[in-house]
Amino acid sequence: MRNFPKPSAKELLKIYRTASLIKLHDDRVISVLKADKLTMPYYSVRGQEIIPAAISIHLRDDDFVSTIYRGTHDMIAKGFPLDAMWAELAGRVDGACKGKGGPMHLTYPDKGIMLTTGIVGSSLPIANGLAWSALLDESDKVTIANFGDGAANIGAFHESLNMAGLWKLPVVFVCQNNLYAEHTSFKKSTAVEQISCHAASYGFEGITVNGNDANEMYGAAKIGIDRARKGEGPTLIEAMTYRFNGHFVGDSGPYMDKEEYASAVANDPIVALREEVLSRGVATEPELAEIEAQHAEAIEAAMTKALESEFPNTGELLNDVFSIEQQGAS
Amino acid sequence: MGEIKKLNFVQAVNLALDEAMTADPKVIVIGEDVADPEGGGVMGVTSGLSTKFGENRVRSSPISEQAIVGAAIGAALGGYRPMAEVMLMNFVSVAMDMIVNHAAKLRFMSGGQTSVPIVIRTMTGTGIQSGGQHSDYLEAWFAHTPGIKVVAASNPADAYGLMHSAIRDDDPVLFIENIPGYWAPGSVESGKVVPIGKAAVSREGKDVTVVAHSRMVSEALAAAQELEADGVEAEVVDMRTISPWDRETILGSVAKTGRLLVVHEAVKQFGIGAEISAVASEELPDKLKVSPKRLGAPFAPVPFSLPLEQAYAPNRASISAAIHELMN
C-alpha cells in the first residue's frame, strides 16, 4: 500500500459531517418510500457514503461532477441543496429540475453537478467533454466522473479512458466498485480482478483503494485531483465499497452472498468513521450527536416542504423542449 | 446583400464553420480526421480550420463515436458550441445513447438548467456504391426523438446558411449532408443565414406539391421540369429542416394544389413521408383532391451492385410517374 496523504483532524470531521448527512438522507428517503408517501425508482447509496465525502474535501464549487442513478451521495457531497433535491425526488415544481428529471437526472449546475445519467457507462464520455471545456478555458477546474463496476464493461468506459489519457484531460474517474452490477456479481461479470488495471492500457495511473476508509479515500482522491488540477492528466480510482440496500429499494438481494452481506453491514463505514473520529479525539460524542441532530432536522424540513409543495402544471410538459410548431424565427 | 461566391457544398459548409469560429471563440470542432494533419476531414469539410484556429479547438479524435459525441455534449455543458463530426450517418448508430438519451434530453430533464448546443455533422447517400452500412438515410429516427433538430440542405447556399443557424442554436442539431451532392457548384451569399424550421419553395406550381429534402430535391425539380411538357405544374418544396418541419409552408402549398407527394431516399415504411402525409390528411381533409402519395426506398438494406443501387432510391422517373398517378 502506497503512502497516501492523510486528512487532518478537521478534515476527518468534515468527511464525517458529509457522510453522516448522506446516510441520514438515504435512510429518510427509504422510510418515506416504504411509507408510500413517494413513488420513484430509488437506488440507495447506503454503504458508499465515504467515497464522495472524502473526494469533496478537495473540490471547489466550480469543479464539475457527473454521476449516475445511484448518485445522491455524490450530489450531497458536492453541495446539492436538500430543498431542491427533495422537491425533485417528489416530482414537485420547485425541484431542481422542476420535477421533470427525478431521482435519475438530478442536476445542479451552480454547484458543478452537471449530469446524472440513468444509462450505465454514460457519465464518462460527457465528463471528458466537461474536462475539455476546462482545458479550453485554461482554468484549473477538475471533473469527477462517477460510475459503478458494471460501467467498466461498457464500451464507453474504454473509449473515454483512451481519450482522456490521450489528451491528458483533467478528469478523475471514480469507479465505485460495490461488487454488483444490477444483480450480477463483480466476479461473474468482470474478467480482471481489479478495474483499476484498465488505466494502464490507456497510459495513466489506476489505484484501487478501500473506498470505505476515509483516510485511504482522502489520499487517493487528493492524488488524482491534484494531478488533474496541475494539468498532468487523468487518474482512475477504483474505490472498493458495498451497497447495503440492493440494486433498488425493494430489491431484497436474494442473489447476494449472505455472509458477505452480513460482514459488510457489520463493518458499516459510517460507524467505523464515527468511532475513529471519537477515538482520535477529533470530536466528542455530544458534538457528533449535535451534528447528526442538525442533519436530521434539515432533512425533515426539506422533506416536509417538498411534500407540501405543488406539482408542476401540465403545461410544463412542453417547456424546455423545442416545439414542432416552431416556424424558424430568424 | 453579401458577396456572392461560387462554392460547392463542401466549401460552403467549410466557409460557414470558418466564419462561425472566427466570430465566436466558443465554437470548437471534434471528430475523426477533422484536423489538417489528418486531411481536414475525410471529404475536406473542415480543411484549414485547425491550421487557422489551432488543434485545441479543432481536434482529430480516435475512432470513438460515443467519446466524440460525449465530449461534445460535455463541452457544451461547460459553455462551448461544439461541432462534432460523425463521419457517416450509419456511424451514428454507435453513438445513439449519447445523441438520443443525452444530447436530446438533458435540457428537458434538467428543467432547463442545462442545454446542449452541439451540431452533429454527418454524411450519407446512395449513388456511390458504398453498400449497406455507409449509405442510409436515418433522419426518421431523429425526427422521432424530441429535443434534437434535424436539417438536411439540398444545395450549397442552404448548407452555408443552415450551418450558421445550427451553430447558433441552443439545441442539438443533426446536420445531414449528401455525399454525391458534395461537388455540385452553387452560389452562396455571404452572411445569408437560413433559419431552422423554414422550408423553401424551390419551384412554384399549382397542380401538385412535391415535398423533398437533400438529394431528392434535385430529382424532384428534374421531374417537375419534365412534366411541364405534359402541362403539369408541380410545386417543389425543399424541407431544409426535417424537425421541426415547416408545417405552414408545406401545408400551405398542399392547400393550394390539393395534391401531395413526399419523396425521400430513406425507406418508405415509417419514413417521414408517413408523418407529413398523415398530418396533411388530418389538417386538410377538404383541400386534398386525392390521397397523398409517398416515394421512398424499398424495405431492404442499401445494396451494392450498381443496377440494384440505381433501383433503390426514388429518382426523376419514379417521381414523374408518381405525379402522373396523382393527376389522373
Side-chain angles (χ1 to χ4, degrees):
Chain A
M1 183 58 63
R2 61 193 281 179
N3 211 3
F4 287 121
K6 292 277 192 298
S8 66
K10 201 176 149 194
E11 286 172 326
L12 196 70
L13 180 59
K14 200 173 169 195
I15 295 171
Y16 179 74
R17 186 185 288 276
T18 305
S20 152
L21 177 61
I22 293 165
K23 175 211 179 280
L24 293 167
H25 171 80
D26 195 82
D27 287 347
R28 196 69 185 99
V29 173
I30 292 172
S31 70
V32 167
L33 286 172
K34 290 193 169 160
D36 280 336
K37 284 194 210 165
L38 281 184
T39 306
M40 65 174 139
Y42 185 70
Y43 304 87
S44 167
V45 300
R46 192 65 190 85
Q48 302 181 201
E49 298 92 337
I50 305 292
I51 299 166
I55 291 171
S56 66
I57 293 272
H58 309 291
L59 296 179
R60 308 187 306 237
D61 278 356
D62 67 341
D63 288 324
F64 293 130
V65 168
S66 72
T67 188
I68 63 163
Y69 51 91
R70 193 184 312 284
T72 55
H73 56 332
D74 298 324
M75 292 176 236
I76 288 172
K78 192 69 171 61
F80 205 117
L82 292 178
D83 283 4
M85 178 174 291
W86 271 96
E88 189 60 33
L89 295 180
R92 300 311 208 271
V93 70
D94 49 350
C97 310
K98 304 181 200 163
K100 302 201 295 189
M104 280 196 267
H105 307 298
L106 288 156
T107 310
Y108 203 81
D110 284 354
K111 292 287 184 181
I113 301 162
M114 305 307 289
L115 172 80
T116 303
T117 180
I119 309 291
V120 171
S122 295
S123 62
L124 295 94
I126 295 173
N128 274 350
L130 289 162
W132 183 24
S133 79
L135 272 192
L136 287 161
D137 285 344
E138 296 180 359
S139 80
D140 64 350
K141 277 194 257 186
V142 169
T143 299
I144 306 292
N146 292 289
F147 52 96
D149 43 298
N153 298 323
I154 289 260
F157 168 91
H158 296 273
E159 290 190 19
S160 300
L161 261 61
N162 180 57
M163 187 175 276
L166 187 68
W167 293 352
K168 297 217 176 316
L169 294 175
V171 58
V172 181
F173 297 108
V174 179
C175 176
Q176 303 188 19
N177 186 346
N178 62 21
L179 304 184
Y180 286 88
E182 305 240 342
H183 296 185
T184 301
S185 69
F186 179 55
K187 279 192 170 61
K188 283 177 77 173
S189 63
T190 305
V192 293
E193 286 184 15
Q194 293 194 324
I195 286 169
S196 60
C197 78
H198 291 304
S201 304
Y202 303 108
F204 58 92
E205 187 182 22
I207 312 169
T208 297
V209 290
N210 178 359
N212 290 353
D213 181 302
N215 294 287
E216 267 190 41
M217 195 61 228
Y218 170 97
K222 181 165 173 51
I223 289 167
I225 291 167
D226 284 354
R227 177 179 290 144
R229 222 180 275 296
K230 284 189 282 187
E232 294 170 3
T235 305
L236 170 61
I237 298 173
E238 179 186 22
M240 302 308 296
T241 185
Y242 202 80
R243 47 168 221 219
F244 284 10
N245 293 314
H247 177 51
F248 53 86
V249 173
D251 167 21
S252 61
Y255 51 87
M256 292 172 86
D257 184 288
K258 298 231 171 349
E259 278 180 33
E260 173 196 86
Y261 179 82
S263 162
V265 171
N267 291 296
D268 188 332
I270 295 283
V271 174
L273 178 56
R274 197 177 194 281
E275 280 169 7
E276 185 180 348
V277 166
L278 290 172
S279 68
R280 277 177 58 180
V282 174
T284 63
E285 174 62 43
E287 284 166 347
L288 294 188
E290 175 62 20
I291 288 171
E292 291 151 9
Q294 283 171 1
H295 286 340
E297 199 178 318
I299 291 164
E300 213 58 26
M303 182 201 74
T304 305
K305 185 170 170 233
L307 292 178
E308 285 170 357
S309 70
E310 299 290 322
F311 284 102
N313 186 296
T314 52
E316 196 56 58
L317 264 176
L318 293 178
N319 285 341
D320 304 316
V321 61
F322 73 81
S323 164
I324 52 171
E325 306 295 343
Q326 174 181 332
Q327 296 295 335
S330 53
Chain B
M1 195 157 147
E3 184 192 350
I4 304 288
K5 293 177 176 168
K6 293 286 175 200
L7 301 175
N8 66 27
F9 199 108
V10 171
Q11 294 164 325
V13 176
N14 182 266
L15 178 64
L17 289 169
D18 191 328
E19 289 174 353
M21 293 187 78
T22 302
D24 183 355
K26 295 290 188 185
V27 178
I28 55 178
V29 171
I30 182 172
E32 292 155 23
D33 303 338
V34 294
D36 289 328
E38 290 72 47
V42 67
M43 295 294 183
V45 175
T46 52
S47 178
L49 299 179
S50 72
T51 301
K52 189 165 174 183
F53 300 104
E55 287 191 45
N56 277 332
R57 284 180 70 191
V58 182
R59 282 201 183 242
S60 284
S61 73
I63 302 175
S64 303
E65 281 80 5
Q66 294 189 77
I68 291 167
V69 179
I73 294 169
L77 295 177
Y80 285 80
R81 290 189 174 272
M83 188 287 280
E85 177 174 321
V86 174
M87 190 182 286
L88 285 163
M89 189 153 209
N90 285 88
F91 305 168
V92 299
S93 58
V94 185
M96 281 302 266
D97 168 53
M98 283 295 132
I99 300 171
V100 171
N101 288 321
H102 295 89
K105 293 181 181 171
L106 292 183
R107 177 154 82 89
F108 182 89
M109 295 195 306
S110 72
Q113 295 180 96
T114 59
S115 63
V116 184
I118 65 171
V119 179
I120 300 170
R121 274 191 49 248
T122 191
M123 58 180 159
T124 195
T126 61
I128 52 170
Q129 286 190 273
S130 290
Q133 294 178 341
H134 282 54
S135 311
D136 279 326
Y137 267 86
L138 304 170
E139 69 275 18
W141 294 359
F142 301 95
H144 195 63
T145 302
I148 182 164
K149 295 177 179 174
V150 183
V151 303
S154 69
N155 60 72
D158 286 348
Y160 168 86
L162 281 168
M163 180 52 79
H164 269 299
S165 290
I167 288 172
R168 293 173 198 179
D169 203 286
D170 287 336
D171 281 314
V173 179
L174 183 71
F175 192 95
I176 303 168
E177 302 171 5
N178 177 258
I179 300 169
Y182 265 151
W183 300 279
S187 295
V188 175
E189 184 186 336
S190 183
K192 189 167 182 193
V193 172
V194 174
I196 290 177
K198 199 73 199 151
V201 177
S202 301
R203 176 199 166 98
E204 291 191 10
K206 63 175 176 48
D207 295 326
V208 56
T209 299
V210 183
V211 174
H213 65 274
S214 201
R215 187 172 71 82
M216 289 299 109
V217 173
S218 60
E219 296 293 324
L221 287 169
Q225 179 75 32
E226 184 177 86
L227 288 165
E228 261 185 13
D230 303 327
V232 177
E233 293 181 28
E235 178 148 301
V236 177
V237 181
D238 180 349
M239 292 185 76
R240 303 200 288 194
T241 297
I242 293 160
S243 184
W245 61 281
D246 183 352
R247 291 179 179 223
E248 190 181 337
T249 300
I250 292 172
L251 296 182
S253 173
V254 177
K256 180 179 81 174
T257 64
R259 296 182 181 89
L260 170 63
L261 171 67
V262 189
V263 185
H264 49 69
E265 198 170 320
V267 291
K268 181 175 167 185
Q269 165 144 299
F270 290 101
I272 62 166
E275 175 70 12
I276 294 166
S277 300
V279 172
S281 299
E282 286 169 348
E283 302 284 324
L284 304 169
D286 303 328
K287 304 278 187 187
L288 282 168
K289 296 169 183 157
V290 57
S291 292
K293 277 190 78 70
R294 295 174 289 146
L295 277 182
F299 201 52
V302 178
F304 165 71
S305 176
L306 185 62
L308 293 180
E309 192 193 35
Q310 285 172 339
Y312 186 79
N315 55 29
R316 178 188 51 73
S318 63
I319 295 168
S320 289
I323 292 172
H324 272 301
E325 282 180 43
L326 277 169
M327 297 306 300
N328 294 324

